[in-house]
Amino acid sequence: MPETTFTPARILGIESSCDETAAAVVENGGMLLSSVVASQVDLHAAYGGVFPEVASRQHIKTVYGVVDQALHKAHIGLGDVDAIAVTRGPGLAGSLVVGLNMAKGIAVAGDIPIIGVNHLEGHVYSAWVRSANDPHPSPHPQFPLVILLVSGGHSELYLMEDHLRYRRLGGTLDDAAGEAFDKVARLLELSYPGGPSIQKAAEQGDPKAFQFPRTRLEGSWDFSFSGLKTAVLRIVRKIEEDHQALPVNDLAASFQEAVVDVLLEKTLRAAEEFSASEILIAGGVSANRALREAFQSKSPVKVNIPHISLCTDNAAMIATAGYYRFVHGVRDSLDMDAFPNWRLA
Ligand code: KG4
Ligand code: ZN
């Protein structure tokens, strides 16, 4: 299939919704010229989660340098930027305003249009990002898409029939998938963030060692992970009461398999029900190797999963979502506020 021709436009993206300060430059629908991510993970590890005030103060310290570096690495100046895309929500209010104010300052200084981007839309558009020096870029996702968006704060299923058009099918009723990874990691005394730690422990464990529940919520497109988390807690308590050593690797592997089973089953069913051409998985949890392998081996339709470096928070995805908003004529005003609970659909 021939690749679409793109409206030429170069977008500077800025992301600061949680604990990553990021800036990136993309052009023509996701061609990546630069991407800089300053992670605060080490700062928050001591708290076992993101400490909001620490996060916003750190964004203030790093945002200027990160944006400057992104422009420098892309070998461009502000005069070469057609629009600035900035995460407006969902996220931590105190963190979002730092990125927003940086973007507004640049927009005023350079007389450049500004576009507010939904962070979840950014995760979706991470599947459109392509390396600028890849001689054979893979084709872009084809609509209609069923999207599984699994991050620290969200576990959502959407149907996307065209650019910027989403229909929410369902989502978690309690914990997000990434949140479940983080909470179970804490129970198993694994380091923060929990997802990568559980994945690492699970590689040495037996996924069949414990039969954890799969909450299927038949007849709906919703998810629930709190029962699974409680089941892990109960087993951990029992083992501790019996003064046995925790079989951390087996618990991690069995937990991970339970999460992957539920996400896979429901997403494949939605793809069939809505006759999706392809599936798109995005958000931090899509970095999980077991999840990626399960989808790649079991899905009857093509599965788009962003490169690992684009699964967790970054600004390339925000710039790319901003590109599609820009070419669809979206412009926002300088009085745009942060939108901490912004829903995608
Ligand atoms: O998308 P993201 O970077 O931030 C949010 O928008 O929330 O996602 C972060 C979440 C965390 O809960 C983290 O534990 C999880 O993604 N995560 C993973 C993996 N890498 C990150 N979960 C499972 N396996 C991984 N390899
Ligand atoms: Zn995210």
Side-chain angles (χ1 to χ4, degrees):
M1 184 174 300
E3 215 20 55
T4 326
T5 39
F6 291 102
T7 311
R10 196 171 287 139
I11 314 291
L12 168 66
I14 300 176
E15 153 69 32
S16 70
S17 65
C18 191
D19 61 343
E20 257 96 29
T21 323
V25 181
V26 304
E27 62 182 12
N28 310 348
M31 281 298 167
L32 188 59
L33 300 188
S34 68
S35 178
V36 178
V37 181
S39 173
Q40 305 179 3
V41 152
D42 294 345
L43 270 182
H44 298 286
Y47 304 101
V50 179
F51 197 115
E53 187 179 329
V54 172
S56 32
R57 285 168 180 254
Q58 189 62 18
H59 285 306
I60 289 171
K61 285 190 199 163
T62 48
V63 70
Y64 178 82
V66 165
V67 170
D68 194 44
Q69 227 184 316
L71 290 170
H72 186 75
K73 283 191 170 174
H75 305 292
I76 62 164
L78 273 187
D80 305 306
V81 170
D82 294 295
I84 300 162
V86 58
T87 306
R88 192 179 173 190
L92 301 167
S95 289
L96 290 164
V97 294
V98 178
L100 271 169
N101 282 344
M102 180 74 192
K104 289 179 185 186
I106 301 173
V108 171
D111 193 20
I112 306 167
I114 189 170
I115 299 164
V117 170
N118 185 307
H119 180 81
L120 304 177
E121 182 163 72
H123 275 301
V124 169
Y125 274 92
S126 57
W128 270 261
V129 180
R130 297 288 178 271
S131 164
N133 43 31
D134 184 349
H136 305 290
S138 49
H140 282 154
Q142 298 294 309
F143 303 115
L145 288 164
V146 158
I147 297 173
L148 173 67
L149 208 157
V150 269
S151 68
H154 295 85
S155 293
E156 308 280 309
L157 264 181
Y158 300 103
L159 178 65
M160 185 180 186
E161 290 179 301
D162 202 350
H163 282 295
L164 311 178
R165 283 184 43 211
Y166 312 91
R167 182 173 143 204
R168 184 178 184 272
L169 304 176
T172 185
L173 301 177
D174 37 60
D175 292 341
E179 192 181 356
F181 270 95
D182 295 335
K183 286 179 176 170
V184 167
R186 224 173 295 157
L187 282 177
L188 302 181
E189 295 181 8
L190 295 170
S191 60
Y192 172 84
S197 311
I198 296 236
Q199 172 174 310
K200 191 153 175 263
E203 276 160 15
Q204 313 296 322
D206 174 8
K208 309 289 177 222
F210 296 91
Q211 269 311 305
F212 287 129
R214 273 76 168 149
T215 307
R216 293 201 158 82
L217 303 174
E218 297 296 344
S220 96
W221 300 112
D222 291 329
F223 299 108
S224 167
F225 294 107
S226 71
L228 171 59
K229 178 192 64 190
T230 310
V232 179
L233 174 66
R234 267 203 217 107
I235 295 265
V236 167
R237 289 241 170 96
K238 170 89 178 60
I239 294 170
E240 283 172 351
E241 277 163 17
D242 294 344
H243 302 289
Q244 304 285 315
L246 268 188
V248 171
N249 297 345
D250 287 348
L251 286 164
S254 304
F255 161 78
Q256 179 176 269
E257 188 171 89
V259 175
V260 170
D261 277 358
V262 171
L263 294 174
L264 176 74
E265 200 181 297
K266 203 153 270 196
T267 309
L268 293 193
R269 202 134 43 83
E272 190 186 354
E273 169 93 10
F274 297 98
S275 307
S277 303
E278 298 178 7
I279 287 171
L280 193 166
I281 314 175
V285 181
S286 66
N288 185 271
R289 196 173 303 135
L291 181 84
R292 297 168 82 95
E293 286 173 2
F295 270 89
Q296 297 291 12
S297 64
K298 306 244 168 69
S299 172
V301 294
K302 184 183 165 195
V303 181
N304 299 273
I305 315 181
H307 186 270
I308 296 269
S309 62
L310 296 166
C311 290
T312 47
D313 292 348
N314 64 85
M317 66 185 199
I318 302 301
T320 304
Y323 169 87
Y324 285 94
R325 294 199 149 245
F326 180 74
V327 298
H328 282 81
V330 178
R331 305 287 183 274
D332 286 301
S333 70
L334 284 170
D335 61 3
M336 124 174 99
D337 193 4
F339 204 165
N341 299 314
W342 195 6
R343 293 169 67 112
L344 185 57

